[in-house]
Amino acid sequence: MEAIDFELLDYIVPAYYVLTTAEASSNLARFDGVRYGYRTKAKDLELTEFYKRTRSEGFGREVKRRILLGTFVLSAGYYDAYFTKAQQVRKLVVDRTDLIFKDFDLIVLPTAPTTAFRLGEKMDDPIAMYLADIYTVYANLTGIPGISLPLFTHTNGMPFGMQAMTSRFNELSLLQFSHLMMQQ
């Protein structure tokens, strides 16, 4: 086991949220209440009002937030500034990760920088919740398999976890390591 420096860590969360909000915005556009998704129960609405009601009632606050952010990063004036840059960051992170896996079989790191939040604790602070994803979004951004394992319960009563990741298509090693860790 050896600690390594990962100089791109500060860019992972911003790149991930730019890309995933863009995906949410474009993918959720099809949930119009006509062909897919929730449909408002209100009757005799004009088409525009039908769409507004359906989407307002059918999506929660977080989904609406992601759709709005995604629409923004995909808009003509900001596409290159945000979406294209995030794709470039993803490429750098993937390339750096591939280099790490030339020398190591596993990447092990905390699941989160803190213990788990208490239920509902950060609901009014989405930025704090997004920043807590600094380690978990890494696997998603790079497309590698990862698993979070409970490590211990902190003195504050909340769990703390560790996560392990392997290179693409190396899930068996990940599962074997996880099994070994859970035997401890």
Side-chain angles (χ1 to χ4, degrees):
M1 188 183 288
E2 179 182 330
I4 60 169
D5 183 37
F6 194 81
E7 62 283 350
L8 300 170
L9 190 62
D10 291 341
Y11 303 102
I12 290 175
V13 170
Y16 173 80
Y17 278 106
V18 165
L19 295 171
T20 58
T21 58
E23 290 170 4
S25 176
S26 63
N27 290 334
L28 291 173
R30 77 187 81 193
F31 288 88
D32 57 6
V34 175
R35 292 166 290 170
Y36 302 103
Y38 170 86
R39 179 185 286 218
T40 186
K41 304 289 187 250
K43 302 287 185 208
D44 301 323
L45 298 174
E46 295 293 323
L47 184 61
T48 302
E49 184 60 27
F50 169 79
Y51 281 135
K52 284 181 186 178
R53 287 261 188 107
T54 293
R55 294 175 71 79
S56 294
E57 294 170 12
F59 294 137
R61 288 175 53 153
E62 181 61 26
V63 173
K64 290 177 192 174
R65 182 182 296 118
R66 290 181 186 219
I67 290 170
L68 287 172
L69 289 171
T71 301
F72 175 77
V73 302
L74 290 173
S75 64
Y78 299 99
Y79 185 87
D80 286 334
Y82 293 102
F83 188 78
T84 301
K85 285 289 183 202
Q87 288 286 39
Q88 292 168 342
V89 168
R90 178 191 298 209
K91 175 77 168 109
L92 291 171
V93 173
V94 166
D95 291 348
R96 178 70 173 102
T97 301
D98 289 344
L99 286 175
I100 291 169
F101 284 126
K102 288 187 184 295
D103 296 324
F104 300 95
D105 295 327
L106 287 156
I107 297 174
V108 177
L109 60 157
T111 299
T114 64
T115 58
F117 300 139
R118 297 199 182 281
L119 188 60
E121 181 181 353
K122 299 290 184 185
M123 293 302 292
D124 294 329
D125 191 356
I127 301 299
M129 290 178 67
Y130 292 167
L131 292 175
D133 291 342
I134 189 165
Y135 303 126
T136 56
V137 299
Y138 177 62
N140 296 325
L141 188 64
T142 57
I144 59 174
I147 190 167
S148 178
L149 304 166
L151 199 53
F152 60 82
T153 299
H154 192 271
T155 56
N156 69 7
M158 300 306 292
F160 188 80
M162 139 180 123
Q163 111 180 271
M165 292 171 263
T166 58
S167 58
R168 285 180 271 313
F169 310 112
N170 200 6
E171 290 86 353
L172 184 58
S173 294
L174 181 64
L175 293 172
Q176 289 169 337
F177 175 79
S178 301
H179 179 73
L180 179 68
M181 292 305 297
M182 296 309 295
Q183 302 303 311
Q184 306 297 324

